Amino acid sequence: MRLPPRTIFDIKQFDKDMNAFEGRYKRCTLLLLLVFMILISRLWYLQIYKGDELRAKSESNRLRVLRIQAPRGRVFDRNGRILTGVKPYFNVCIVREDVRDMEGLITRLAGLLGEDEADIRASLYQGSKQPLYMPIAIKRDIDWETLSKISARLIYLPGVVIDVAPGREYPYGPVAPHLIGYLGEISEDDIKNNLYPGARPGDMVGKSGVEGRYNSELAGVPGKRIVEVDVKGGLVKELEETPPEAGDDIYLTIDLDLQMAAEEAMKDKIGAAVVLDPNSGEILAMVSSPGFDPGIFAKGLTTEEWKALNDPLYRPLFNKAIQGTYAPGSTFKIVMAAAALEENVINENKTFFCPGFFKFGNRDYRCWKKEGHGSTNLYRALAESCDVYFYNVGLKLGIDKIAKYAKLFGLGEKTGIDLPNEAAGTIASSEWKKKRFKSKWYEGETLSISIGQGYNTVTPIQMARLIAAVANGGILYRPNYIEKITGPDGTIEARFKKDQQGIIPVSESNLRLIQNGLIGVVEDDRGTAKVCRIKGITIAGKTGTAQVIRQAKRKEDEKMNWKYRDHAWFVAYAPAEAPKLAIAVLIEHGGHGGSAAAPVARAIIERWLQMQGPRPQDSPERTAGLDPAPAHQG
């Protein structure tokens, strides 16, 4: 049966529609599969590949872990008086994660804090490696007025928080700043070199002195606080807190009264003063002048403050007591006398004639006393500081024996005080010059060394230890400034004992001869430091005047430019019969040791006498009735 043409056409049209439908169905199916695969891929990317990162970010938006700084340990003097305490500091900080317009915020804060915008950006840059939710301090230890201004505007300063952290206070002002040191914000180099393990950007750490040397003991252990915050960084509630552990307390050997007396005596002078207990090596006072205020570092230094601290002439940050090296001047005659006695070059009765100069080759080497001392024995040579006497002694000893005894007195090497950057000074010998200058030694140089000039250099703390050894019978103790370290509950964790490092090579009888000459320096009417004499107490000492420049013809200090004037030395101990104090004083460009440095020692001894209660009875005259002497320089 043949189908009509219309029917055949309809069947063909149906087949055509079905084919088109199947094509569209396949394309839709492929499209759906593609969309599904994209969704699956995106889900994998978010859940698996980026899952940890996004989860952490989500948590940080809701929970924050805040670090709680530990109260730093305190520093006391030997009598338990607080030299460096703790007080709350209010710091203005920025949490970058909560800031919507950083540049606008910086501009507003600069106006409120009185800071340069550049300084705020610099603070932010220093903390830029911290997580965004960690606060970065941009202004530390703000005053109450600033605190009130910022607090009242916090709602308009999104991202700004006030952090309360323990800081330093100084109940007696900036006492012994070079010994105690100061705090400063940890630097990138500190972190890079791991100088302060456990510290983070923004932490305040000890930069010098006791604060730096014992930073780990003083710093304590920080705590933490977990808090919930809203989307703007506002605190919703505290969830958990681990309290910090306070740092250890440190008791120094210095005495606040003596320290303040020494600082007052050194006021307006450039130099150093060191006071030791000669029987233990404990440091009772240590001054480097001028000093500085350690509190300014916590707030951040201005450009002017930084320039002043690094002034090349005054060098306030430089600890001249342990880092400054100076020619010893006539204080070196103590070593010369000991060497000459021990080497049998002289005895107490040996005399040399001093006409006021010593002719050697074609040159005259001067004595400080132009008219000369006449026939001079050891006692007078020390008491009156005769240069010609020691020129003769030096030539008989030779440079290498002089160097040998100088080193046995602890010179030319560090004392071992537990502070960084101590200088060793220089003790010259023929071998030393050969290595240093590739040149032989000349006897004319020995003459200069014999009176404390030339290549030899010493530090004030070396000279304090030297005179302490002369006072105590010959023992060289390591200078020590720590008495004990205690935990926050008062438990003693460490107690320091005296450390004997050596014995100077001088017999008891020879040492007594030297001691007698040093008593004459102060107590004899011809002594070069009679200005230091105090009624009722016997003082032994030695003056020194160290030339800064060579002069063909000696000029009076008053006629010279200040920076070319001599350095003034005085080393002393008291009471001479039972020493309790050993003192070294150095005044840069001070002129004569007797007139510039000895009065500082006198002020320290007078304060010590006041601390002992009623002054002792006047002692009888101990020196021979010699005629009054003219003004001196040695």
Side-chain angles (χ1 to χ4, degrees):
M1 183 180 66
R2 297 185 58 180
L3 294 174
R6 176 66 185 172
T7 303
I8 293 171
F9 174 79
D10 289 343
I11 291 173
K12 289 182 178 178
Q13 187 64 39
F14 176 78
D15 290 341
K16 185 178 178 181
D17 290 344
M18 282 299 292
N19 290 335
F21 175 76
E22 287 179 358
R24 287 196 297 271
Y25 175 77
K26 289 178 180 178
R27 286 195 294 274
C28 287
T29 302
L30 288 174
L31 181 62
L32 287 173
L33 284 173
L34 181 63
V35 171
F36 183 73
M37 289 180 67
I38 290 174
L39 289 174
I40 291 295
S41 299
R42 183 63 178 168
L43 191 61
W44 175 86
Y45 176 79
L46 294 175
Q47 292 289 328
I48 306 300
Y49 185 74
K50 302 287 285 186
D52 291 341
E53 178 184 337
L54 295 175
R55 192 177 301 109
K57 187 173 182 179
S58 173
E59 289 295 320
S60 69
N61 284 338
R62 186 169 57 87
L63 302 179
R64 286 181 181 170
V65 180
L66 304 179
R67 198 159 180 254
I68 308 174
Q69 290 191 31
R72 199 169 175 86
R74 299 163 296 178
V75 180
F76 298 83
D77 86 333
R78 65 187 299 118
N79 297 310
R81 289 172 287 193
I82 296 179
L83 302 175
T84 304
V86 180
K87 72 171 186 178
Y89 274 21
F90 295 94
N91 304 325
V92 179
C93 304
I94 290 179
V95 179
R96 290 165 294 163
E97 188 178 59
D98 300 331
V99 179
R100 284 167 286 182
D101 176 10
M102 183 62 80
E103 285 303 309
L105 180 63
I106 290 174
T107 301
R108 275 175 285 164
L109 278 178
L112 290 169
L113 297 174
E115 293 284 299
D116 289 337
E117 292 185 16
D119 292 336
I120 296 177
R121 290 192 184 91
S123 297
L124 289 170
Y125 175 76
Q126 287 183 341
S128 59
K129 294 182 180 178
Q130 299 184 67
L132 292 175
Y133 62 86
M134 293 288 289
I136 298 175
I138 58 170
K139 180 74 174 179
R140 296 181 184 275
D141 192 24
I142 58 174
D143 55 33
W144 284 105
E145 183 181 355
T146 306
L147 176 63
S148 300
K149 284 194 296 186
I150 298 293
S151 298
R153 295 168 173 79
L154 275 180
I155 192 171
Y156 306 110
L157 300 169
V160 175
V161 296
I162 303 295
D163 180 43
V164 184
R168 280 301 195 207
E169 68 173 350
Y170 305 93
Y172 296 95
V175 175
H178 296 87
L179 177 60
I180 294 176
Y182 64 90
L183 300 180
E185 188 171 342
I186 192 169
S187 67
E188 286 189 24
D189 286 342
D190 293 337
I191 295 172
K192 183 179 178 182
N193 297 317
N194 196 28
L195 295 181
Y196 302 94
R200 295 180 179 180
D203 282 357
M204 300 296 286
V205 294
K207 292 285 190 177
S208 71
V210 177
E211 296 275 23
R213 172 62 185 84
Y214 289 92
N215 182 72
S216 59
E217 288 81 358
L218 289 165
V221 180
K224 65 179 180 181
R225 181 183 295 122
I226 301 176
V227 299
E228 183 178 355
V229 296
D230 58 24
V231 69
K232 295 181 179 179
L235 176 66
V236 176
K237 63 179 177 181
E238 292 186 8
L239 301 176
E240 182 182 334
E241 178 174 317
T242 302
E245 297 178 18
D248 294 338
D249 292 330
I250 293 181
Y251 289 75
L252 303 182
T253 59
I254 68 169
D255 183 287
L256 177 61
D257 294 315
L258 276 184
Q259 179 70 30
M260 295 182 76
E263 290 183 4
E264 178 63 25
M266 289 293 294
K267 188 177 180 181
D268 300 326
K269 298 179 175 62
I270 301 175
V274 179
V275 185
L276 299 180
D277 179 343
N279 304 301
S280 65
E282 292 181 352
I283 296 175
L284 302 175
M286 186 165 78
V287 179
S288 180
S289 181
F292 61 89
D293 180 0
I296 63 175
F297 293 90
K299 298 181 179 180
L301 296 175
T302 64
T303 303
E304 289 71 23
E305 289 172 332
W306 181 245
K307 284 183 178 177
L309 289 171
N310 288 279
D311 182 277
L313 186 62
Y314 297 100
R315 299 168 295 162
L317 288 180
F318 186 72
N319 188 347
K320 301 175 182 67
I322 66 169
Q323 296 175 278
T325 56
Y326 311 87
S330 292
T331 59
F332 193 69
K333 291 171 182 173
I334 298 172
V335 177
M336 293 295 296
L341 287 168
E342 290 299 312
E343 295 294 326
N344 295 315
V345 166
I346 60 169
N347 58 40
E348 65 178 309
N349 299 316
K350 175 66 178 178
T351 60
F352 295 100
F353 184 79
C354 172
F357 63 91
F358 181 81
K359 194 167 187 59
F360 185 78
N362 58 358
R363 177 182 168 184
D364 289 340
Y365 288 79
R366 297 185 305 269
C367 182
W368 70 266
K369 189 176 180 181
K370 292 180 182 177
E371 61 273 28
H373 291 90
S375 181
T376 306
N377 61 14
L378 177 63
Y379 172 81
R380 286 194 61 197
L382 285 170
E384 301 177 40
S385 200
C386 176
D387 292 334
V388 171
Y389 183 94
F390 287 99
Y391 289 146
N392 283 283
V393 166
L395 285 181
K396 290 181 180 296
L397 282 169
I399 184 59
D400 290 334
K401 284 185 179 176
I402 295 172
K404 169 189 167 185
Y405 279 87
K407 291 179 179 177
L408 291 171
F409 270 79
L411 304 180
E413 62 181 19
K414 298 178 182 179
T415 66
I417 185 174
D418 190 19
L419 285 174
N421 304 318
E422 182 189 8
T426 300
I427 293 299
S429 66
S430 58
E431 184 180 356
W432 172 85
K433 189 182 177 190
K434 190 175 181 180
K435 287 183 179 177
R436 177 71 184 273
F437 299 108
K438 302 187 185 311
S439 174
K440 71 174 185 179
W441 188 268
Y442 296 99
E443 286 190 315
E445 295 170 319
T446 303
L447 296 180
S448 296
I449 292 290
S450 300
I451 60 167
Q453 311 295 342
Y455 298 116
N456 285 355
T457 59
V458 298
T459 63
I461 195 148
Q462 285 176 331
M463 294 308 296
R465 184 172 69 153
L466 184 152
I467 196 65
V470 172
N472 67 27
I475 302 175
L476 286 167
Y477 289 110
R478 182 197 305 273
N480 170 48
Y481 59 87
I482 299 285
E483 181 182 292
K484 62 182 177 182
I485 298 176
T486 66
D489 61 353
T491 303
I492 296 178
E493 298 185 352
R495 186 183 287 280
F496 292 78
K497 299 178 180 178
K498 57 185 178 184
D499 181 6
Q500 181 176 324
Q501 294 182 301
I503 298 177
I504 58 175
V506 186
S507 69
E508 185 176 346
S509 59
N510 285 339
L511 188 60
R512 198 176 303 117
L513 292 175
I514 296 170
Q515 291 170 337
N516 192 42
L518 298 183
I519 290 173
V521 171
V522 178
E523 305 295 341
D524 196 306
D525 285 341
R526 293 190 178 191
T528 55
K530 56 187 178 184
V531 67
C532 192
R533 198 179 301 171
I534 300 174
K535 193 175 182 181
I537 185 173
T538 308
I539 299 171
K542 185 70 195 78
T543 55
T545 303
Q547 295 178 12
V548 174
I549 59 170
R550 290 185 176 182
Q551 300 177 72
K553 186 177 181 181
R554 192 70 188 161
K555 293 182 181 178
E556 294 180 7
D557 272 341
E558 293 73 15
K559 297 179 180 178
M560 297 173 63
N561 187 307
W562 177 83
K563 65 180 180 181
Y564 298 133
R565 295 179 184 176
D566 298 335
H567 296 326
W569 276 103
F570 186 58
V571 295
Y573 60 89
E577 57 275 15
K580 300 295 183 185
L581 303 175
I583 305 170
V585 179
L586 179 283
I587 310 295
E588 290 186 4
H589 311 292
H592 305 155
S595 58
V600 173
R602 177 191 169 104
I604 295 170
I605 296 170
E606 285 180 329
R607 184 69 188 100
W608 179 81
L609 283 171
Q610 293 169 2
M611 293 160 54
Q612 308 310 305
R615 292 176 55 168
Q617 296 298 312
D618 290 352
S619 58
E621 294 293 335
R622 291 167 295 279
T623 56
L626 300 174
D627 295 332
H632 54 76
Q633 292 187 342

